[in-house]
Amino acid sequence: MHRRLDARAPGFAAEFDRLVEAARDTDAQVSDVVAQVIAEVAKNGDTAVATLTQRFDRIDLAERGFEIGAAEIDAACANVSPELMAALELAATRIRAFHEKQRPADHDGTDAAGVRAGYRWTPVDSVGLYVPGGLASYPSSVLMNAIPAKVAGARRLVMVTPTPDGRLNPLVLAAAKLAGVDVIYRIGGAQAVAALAFGTATIPAVDKIVGPGNAYVAEAKRQLYGRVGIDMVAGPSEILVVADGANDPAWIAADLLSQAEHDPAAQVILITDDAAFVDAVAVAVDALIEKLPTGATARQSWDSQGAIILVEQLLDAVPLVDRLAPEHLELAVADPQPLFDAVRHAGSIFIGRHTPEAVGDYVGGPNHVLPTGRRARFASGLSVTDFMKRTTFLECSAAALAAIGPAAQTLAEAEGLIAHAESVRVRLNS
Amino acid sequence: MHRRLDARAPGFAAEFDRLVEAARDTDAQVSDVVAQVIAEVAKNGDTAVATLTQRFDRIDLAERGFEIGAAEIDAACANVSPELMAALELAATRIRAFHEKQRPADHDGTDAAGVRAGYRWTPVDSVGLYVPGGLASYPSSVLMNAIPAKVAGARRLVMVTPTPDGRLNPLVLAAAKLAGVDVIYRIGGAQAVAALAFGTATIPAVDKIVGPGNAYVAEAKRQLYGRVGIDMVAGPSEILVVADGANDPAWIAADLLSQAEHDPAAQVILITDDAAFVDAVAVAVDALIEKLPTGATARQSWDSQGAIILVEQLLDAVPLVDRLAPEHLELAVADPQPLFDAVRHAGSIFIGRHTPEAVGDYVGGPNHVLPTGRRARFASGLSVTDFMKRTTFLECSAAALAAIGPAAQTLAEAEGLIAHAESVRVRLNS
């Protein structure tokens, strides 16, 4: 049974704290297994990848080849209906348009001391994109990860996806083609992540690895963080809906369950100022769960991680939102602007009654790869700058160095870094 | 003896590969110790911190108090010479001015379909800044980490620094005061990082932890990454100098040794097109090392990690630079612009003969916290945006949802996410 909290009741603060601290990350003991897989791939390259792929996916890479070639991709795309292809294309177009607005500006200026200083952005050369196989194999994720990389200007975009027993998701391949992925390998798991990080005879190493995956994939990325860049540490989905009593309860129920259906550990929370609406949404949730093919998962999430919080007035939701720092925040209220202005911590905000979170998952434009587990306190959703890096620069004329060099020399000497000081001193005294 | 490579010699590619792959990260077996410290602090809070501080720093926190109070800070500042204080103030002013240019722009737009989409930047609420004690206790690092956080608008900036046997670095406290640090605790090591991540009765938890530290501190940050944000995985310093034969060899020797004196594992490399200059710099390095109080460290670095690479022409340095993706790149050549334009991967670039890297360590303006270990391929130096996060947003009117919602519904159904589809469908059919 989902939790119900009343912000005016005694004990609310402690109860809300428990909600905030709820441990939802699946803490599987995968760390050692993953470390072993990484070591094997680092040492034995393609051979290790092939052995592990045979074991986990029952695929003979020597026979099938590592790469999913153009013919296979084209055959898969031919199976995608025109309606689906049009939807994918609309999504790609809208995602691209939004991300093109994220290209960061360079800076280059000279100050009063005559010092030129600035920074410039350049793309990451090569990006690896992990795409899960099986149930969580989503073409929308391909678009959301690949398009920002292409907009950033990455030269090479490599996709890996497991094909257990040879099963391919045609939509995933269609999305990859649409997004401009350069090459696709039929490998998955920690071994695929390790292959991307170290490179093998077949698979060239990449600089950054992004994309969702199971606990093994996530742990492999975490362990390889630093050797390569990664997108983020991701946890189960979450949605926080702030809604007034004027909403159709069925709409809000669908919104809550749209995240609950992802994962039994998904956190779905409604905050409202209307006591009658609390009951109405709970009834609507139960009714919709019955009809969902994903109902079993949604039921687990709603019962174990679901919560409805009643507040005196809607603006009282703001500090609660900021504590939870939710991945997705819906503001389904008559006047969302004051709430929108006041909230500080959220991955992405969906404003008004006609903006269900799901529209943002596919065709809104903003990225659906977002910080979970309260990480919106310090982290952002995926963007073009995740596939770029900023190089700063500095240029002193002799006169500029004469102006600011002595202070550098003084500080270097105070820090006991005498070669630092010397490198300034020799130039000042020349 | 440092290595010498000739880009025109057979076997150069393999030799250069070894330079690129040189393992320089100190791989101490600290992981288990750190995991234990983190678990202790998570469980026992202040008590654990006090016990560990007594053990490692021989400080009784019950007697001395966790906090370094205003009186102690003011007393320390009174010991700083006016010349040093002026140098610190110049550094702070210049660093602040440069970082103020990094404040990112928001975006808010409505497209042809009537969909409003955008993003806005907000500061991280609270930041923890680690400052090492002992030899590597640098006031310049305080400024470089604290000022971007303040420019970003962080509400609370907490510093931790160990004071072994009660020793305080007055300059570090002066820099903290100058940079606007809100509170300073006399704790260090993995226990300080854990206290900042989890919070204790005395020390409120922060959202992001930055700053340099020893292997234990670095490992603690790595293990807590995800629970809190961290700045980066940092390794030993490195400098790559591209210089023509018209430079004074003593200048270039000082530049190389300015990084070598940091760490026996620092990597210092010169690339030049002048064979005579190779010898001249090697002689100048040996001469300067003899005079340095930091000579022993610099000697270890130069002998084990130093290299001079001779190229046919200066532009041949570009692919080598990009492979090494150095933390610091100096372009000490007559015409640096073509090299500057061509290089893609470097943490920070120092242009021309009168821009020794050290000036950027202190007073240039750009940040001196930079990616090491070839991470400039995918990572950037510390900036204002490291203390901010971007929240995207989306707003559909009923008409806008009618325009783009059907595609979202189609894709959600194809992915088997029926509650997603339902949340759009109910609104389209209303």
Side-chain angles (χ1 to χ4, degrees), chain A residues 120 258 261 381 390 392 420, chain B residues 258 261 340 348 381 390 392 420:
Chain A
R120 70 175 180 207
S258 75
E261 73 178 340
R390 191 189 48 246
T392 50
H420 284 67
Chain B
S258 75
E261 73 177 342
F340 179 68
S348 195
R390 190 190 48 247
T392 49
H420 283 66

Side-chain angles (χ1 to χ4, degrees), chain A residues 166-184:
Chain A
R167 282 195 309 276
L168 278 171
N169 183 338
L171 268 182
V172 159
L173 299 186
K177 190 175 176 183
L178 199 56
V181 167
D182 295 294
V183 56
I184 310 177

Side-chain angles (χ1 to χ4, degrees), chain B residues 245-373:
Chain B
N247 285 281
D248 184 332
W251 295 16
I252 303 303
D255 298 352
L256 293 170
L257 293 177
S258 75
Q259 295 311 299
E261 73 177 342
H262 269 304
D263 191 325
Q267 185 177 59
V268 298
I269 300 177
L270 168 66
I271 302 182
T272 183
D273 61 346
D274 185 321
F277 192 66
V278 170
D279 295 320
V281 170
V283 168
V285 164
D286 285 338
L288 181 54
I289 282 182
E290 294 305 310
K291 295 195 289 182
L292 290 176
T294 52
T297 301
R299 167 61 67 196
Q300 282 184 66
S301 160
W302 178 240
D303 285 355
S304 68
Q305 308 291 345
I308 305 182
I309 303 174
L310 183 65
V311 290
E312 175 79 37
Q313 49 183 346
L314 289 170
L315 275 172
D316 293 347
V318 172
L320 309 181
V321 170
D322 281 336
R323 282 288 303 286
L324 288 160
E327 181 188 17
H328 304 109
L329 171 66
E330 273 187 25
L331 303 177
V333 298
D335 179 17
Q337 195 63 37
L339 283 167
F340 179 68
D341 289 342
V343 162
R344 297 201 315 276
H345 309 312
S348 195
I349 303 179
F350 302 84
I351 305 170
R353 304 195 198 287
H354 287 86
T355 317
E357 184 278 329
V359 81
D361 277 340
Y362 297 104
V363 296
N367 212 287
H368 78 194
V369 180
L370 294 165
T372 54

Side-chain angles (χ1 to χ4, degrees), chain A residues 237-248:
Chain A
S237 303
E238 53 210 32
I239 188 169
L240 174 51
V241 181
V242 180
D244 59 30
N247 286 283
D248 183 333

Side-chain angles (χ1 to χ4, degrees), chain B residues 95-382:
Chain B
I95 295 164
R96 192 175 295 114
F98 184 79
H99 285 79
E100 274 169 356
K101 300 200 193 312
Q102 295 179 340
R103 280 209 200 87
D106 294 345
H107 170 68
D108 189 346
T110 301
D111 63 25
V115 180
R116 178 187 175 200
Y119 52 86
R120 71 175 180 206
W121 290 86
T122 46
V124 172
D125 272 354
S126 57
V127 173
L129 165 55
Y130 191 93
V131 179
L135 278 179
S137 175
Y138 298 139
S140 58
S141 288
V142 176
L143 300 182
M144 290 290 183
N145 282 277
I147 290 173
K150 296 299 280 191
V151 170
R155 296 179 174 196
R156 202 164 57 85
L157 185 45
V158 180
M159 187 171 123
V160 293
T161 190
T163 60
D165 300 308
R167 283 194 308 276
L168 277 172
N169 182 339
L171 267 182
V172 159
L173 299 187
K177 191 177 175 183
L178 199 55
V181 167
D182 294 295
V183 57
I184 310 176
Y185 298 107
R186 60 179 105 249
I187 58 174
Q191 60 273 21
V193 178
L196 288 172
F198 291 101
T200 70
T202 302
I203 300 163
V206 301
D207 299 311
K208 180 147 189 166
I209 301 176
V210 300
N214 63 20
Y216 294 87
V217 169
E219 175 64 15
K221 282 165 66 185
R222 205 190 61 78
Q223 288 189 18
L224 289 162
Y225 164 59
R227 180 171 186 100
V228 293
I230 66 171
D231 45 357
M232 61 181 69
V233 175
S237 302
E238 54 211 29
I239 188 169
L240 174 50
V241 180
V242 180
D244 58 29
N247 285 281
D248 184 332
W251 295 16
I252 303 303
D255 298 352
L256 293 170
L257 293 177
S258 75
Q259 295 311 299
E261 73 177 342
H262 269 304
D263 191 325
Q267 185 177 59
V268 298
I269 300 177
L270 168 66
I271 302 182
T272 183
D273 61 346
D274 185 321
F277 192 66
V278 170
D279 295 320
V281 170
V283 168
V285 164
D286 285 338
L288 181 54
I289 282 182
E290 294 305 310
K291 295 195 289 182
L292 290 176
T294 52
T297 301
R299 167 61 67 196
Q300 282 184 66
S301 160
W302 178 240
D303 285 355
S304 68
Q305 308 291 345
I308 305 182
I309 303 174
L310 183 65
V311 290
E312 175 79 37
Q313 49 183 346
L314 289 170
L315 275 172
D316 293 347
V318 172
L320 309 181
V321 170
D322 281 336
R323 282 288 303 286
L324 288 160
E327 181 188 17
H328 304 109
L329 171 66
E330 273 187 25
L331 303 177
V333 298
D335 179 17
Q337 195 63 37
L339 283 167
F340 179 68
D341 289 342
V343 162
R344 297 201 315 276
H345 309 312
S348 195
I349 303 179
F350 302 84
I351 305 170
R353 304 195 198 287
H354 287 86
T355 317
E357 184 278 329
V359 81
D361 277 340
Y362 297 104
V363 296
N367 212 287
H368 78 194
V369 180
L370 294 165
T372 54
R374 303 181 61 228
R375 296 184 188 93
R377 290 173 295 132
F378 55 81
S380 311
L382 199 67

